[in-house]
Amino acid sequence: MVSYRTKVAERIRLPSRTERERNLAAAGYNLFNLAADDVYVDLLTDSGTGAMSQEQWAALHRGDESYAGSRSFERLEAAVRDVMGFPHVIPAHQGRGAENVLYGTLLEPGDVALNNTHFDTTRAHVANQGADPVDCPVADARDPEADAPFKGNFSIERAREVVAEVGADRVPLVILTITNNSAAGQPVSVANTRDAARFAEEIDATFVIDACRFAENAHFVTERESDYADATVAEIAREQLGCADALVMSGKKDGLSNVGGFVATDDERLAEACKQRAILYEGFPTYGGMAGRDMEAMAVGLREAVEEAYVAGRVDAVAQLGDLLTDAGVPIYEPVGGHAVYLDAAACLPHVPAAKFPGQALVCELYREGGVRGVELGSFAFPDTDRPELVRLAVPRRTYGRDHFQHVAETVAAVLDRREEVTGLRLATEPPVPEIRHFTAELEPVES
Ligand code: F0G
């Protein structure tokens, strides 16, 4: 049993209901526009919002800020090699920087990229290269009630259909996102990872793992994939990631750091090509947009992320929030994933049609009711796709405790008690890039 005690305290405050009402309207009913000080429990994301360990804070002092040949880069490189098994590391300022470097290197206009499910920045980067992002989730992934151990898996069957339709020469890239963030943080089995790697090889595509939450995924494998019941999280991580030709990583998740990311590969030629693009967009390849101290913190974080006690406690905290919500009668996506609990907004607000953004309406009500900030991942974030109407409550690592989770559960239950008052929203502004409109679009309430 491992836990944490608090060494640095940060005061948080629940604004009054009047203030919350005012903040909501001023934010254009888009919670990305709220000041963080006006949020009581911030479950917008688990990305870069966690608490670092004292070892990470200590490591910051070792930061070598040399432009070229930084010692801190060598330490990051060693951590990636030891924990993930890849010798070439191209650092980036965060995950999407790494996506730009890797996908900009691998994709041409007219190409098709396959993914179990593209996360929003991944989708946008693929589209930004003039390529077409196609999701291949398994059938269960979109069913919030289906009980299956690996609802994050990649559907080889669906991928074969796409290849039959467009031709293998148009598909140079197969991506596996573990855990599958846009499918409710569901894990991917090692067996499915092997199948996806074999499929990519068959069509001569590069097989990339988006490894953001690789340690959480490995924890689920120990619990749910019988072949790995006796394996450690560290062993599973090495084996699963080892199936890939390259990794794209946001260190803000299972790097347990506040910023940073990288591409890793064992393909020297790919590494060289990525470095050229990285110099243009990120920085010289021994810092790539990160300060030396941030590389130090991530190097320590990567090693901590695969410690059994850490990751078991992490996934358990998310499960705790899920249990509190279920006990309060809130419909959630099941089973609960690794980094977040996803509310089933269609079931929470059955009278609000997709055109009136039930997920976004729910997100606004959670703030109005209890100063809780979540994020919509449904028809507002993903226009023109048939994704389920979900609201994600992402849990920052080592940050909130049971009393906060209790407050969140009570808040959601209170909203559901007065659900008939919730009428839905419409867009008031339409940003130019539809794939990322949910970050900046403003909305307004509609009358019933
Ligand atoms: N890939 C996945 C699966 C992600 O979840 C994210 C970020 C990225 C790539 C991009 O990484 O933020 O470091 O640039 N997800 C965050 C989230 C933002 O809230 O889920 P980044």
Side-chain angles (χ1 to χ4, degrees):
M1 168 80 174
V2 170
S3 185
Y4 299 93
R5 59 179 173 182
T6 307
K7 185 167 283 187
V8 176
E10 181 181 357
R11 205 170 66 98
I12 54 175
R13 169 181 168 267
L14 176 62
S16 69
R17 183 170 284 266
T18 317
E19 285 174 280
R20 298 194 302 266
E21 298 273 358
R22 202 172 48 225
N23 296 338
L24 198 53
Y29 298 87
N30 184 338
L31 272 53
F32 281 101
N33 293 332
L34 286 177
D37 275 354
D38 291 331
V39 177
Y40 184 51
V41 180
D42 200 348
L43 306 184
L44 182 70
T45 181
D46 64 319
S47 180
T49 50
M52 291 205 295
S53 66
Q54 59 184 352
E55 284 73 20
Q56 288 180 285
W57 279 102
L60 289 176
H61 289 275
R62 284 201 305 260
D64 173 2
E65 307 303 340
S66 303
Y67 188 96
S70 162
R71 218 169 37 235
S72 303
F73 172 70
E74 287 171 16
R75 265 195 280 267
L76 174 62
E77 214 179 19
V80 174
R81 193 176 53 236
D82 294 348
V83 175
M84 305 171 108
F86 287 83
H88 304 293
V89 181
I90 299 99
H93 73 283
Q94 60 181 87
R96 68 201 69 182
E99 290 181 325
N100 179 34
V101 167
L102 184 62
Y103 302 146
T105 303
L106 292 173
L107 291 171
E108 301 281 344
D111 284 346
V112 172
L114 305 179
N115 198 325
N116 43 352
T117 317
H118 289 81
F119 178 67
D120 54 7
T121 60
T122 316
R123 176 173 296 279
H125 273 296
V126 168
N128 198 38
Q129 299 306 320
D132 191 11
V134 178
D135 292 343
C136 302
V138 290
D140 284 346
R142 291 189 173 158
D143 179 354
E145 288 171 15
D147 185 20
F150 292 106
K151 289 166 79 174
N153 278 358
F154 179 87
S155 168
I156 308 284
E157 202 184 334
R158 171 77 189 120
R160 285 197 195 287
E161 283 169 16
V162 178
V163 168
E165 203 178 300
V166 304
D169 52 341
R170 274 188 62 202
V171 187
L173 180 59
V174 174
I175 308 164
L176 193 66
T177 306
I178 67 171
T179 56
N180 192 343
N181 189 7
S182 304
Q186 297 297 300
V188 174
S189 69
V190 176
N192 183 252
T193 307
R194 279 216 199 83
D195 290 346
R198 220 173 290 125
F199 168 76
E201 197 176 347
E202 226 176 271
I203 62 166
D204 204 20
T206 304
F207 180 49
V208 172
I209 294 183
D210 180 330
C212 287
R213 299 177 179 87
F214 75 99
E216 291 163 11
N217 197 92
H219 174 76
F220 284 115
V221 169
T222 60
E223 292 195 323
R224 299 183 187 174
E225 197 166 357
S226 53
D227 287 355
Y228 296 92
D230 298 326
T232 65
V233 164
E235 287 163 353
I236 293 165
R238 286 281 299 238
E239 182 162 342
Q240 187 165 32
L241 300 177
C243 297
D245 300 313
L247 307 181
V248 65
M249 176 74 186
S250 165
K252 302 172 75 170
K253 285 83 168 175
D254 280 350
L256 308 190
S257 48
N258 299 125
V259 76
F262 55 83
V263 172
T265 180
D266 51 10
D267 177 337
E268 205 171 331
R269 279 180 53 192
L270 179 60
E272 278 314 310
C274 285
K275 278 182 196 171
Q276 298 307 311
R277 191 169 167 90
I279 291 170
L280 203 59
Y281 289 102
E282 296 294 315
F284 188 75
T286 57
Y287 72 89
M290 268 191 277
R293 54 183 168 272
D294 294 326
M295 292 192 280
E296 295 279 353
M298 199 198 297
V300 175
L302 282 171
R303 295 182 193 277
E304 287 179 2
V306 291
E307 287 171 9
E308 304 288 323
Y310 157 74
V311 70
R314 156 70 178 155
V315 173
D316 184 59
V318 179
Q320 243 185 57
L321 174 60
D323 288 345
L324 288 167
L325 285 161
T326 309
D327 292 348
V330 177
I332 63 170
Y333 185 108
E334 292 191 89
V336 169
H339 67 298
V341 178
Y342 290 66
L343 308 181
D344 181 349
C348 289
L349 302 175
H351 59 292
V352 180
K356 293 183 184 171
F357 306 130
Q360 187 62 15
L362 182 57
V363 160
C364 289
E365 292 310 317
L366 299 185
Y367 180 73
R368 192 197 305 273
E369 185 63 40
V372 173
R373 177 157 69 170
V375 70
E376 194 262 11
L377 294 171
S379 48
F380 175 47
F382 302 108
D384 308 323
T385 62
D386 59 348
R387 299 204 197 195
E389 300 289 347
L390 298 177
V391 165
R392 186 184 74 172
L393 302 179
V395 180
R397 295 167 180 79
R398 304 188 286 212
T399 302
Y400 292 118
R402 198 177 168 86
D403 48 345
H404 300 108
F405 297 151
Q406 190 78 48
H407 172 80
V408 172
E410 284 164 10
T411 297
V412 185
V415 169
L416 296 197
D417 277 348
R418 57 170 181 77
R419 71 180 88 190
E420 286 73 26
E421 292 169 22
V422 183
T423 50
L425 298 161
R426 68 170 155 253
L427 285 173
T429 64
E430 183 82 64
V433 185
E435 287 85 1
I436 50 174
R437 71 174 183 184
H438 54 295
F439 292 117
T440 54
E442 298 198 353
L443 303 102
E444 56 199 13
V446 290
E447 295 76 44
S448 53

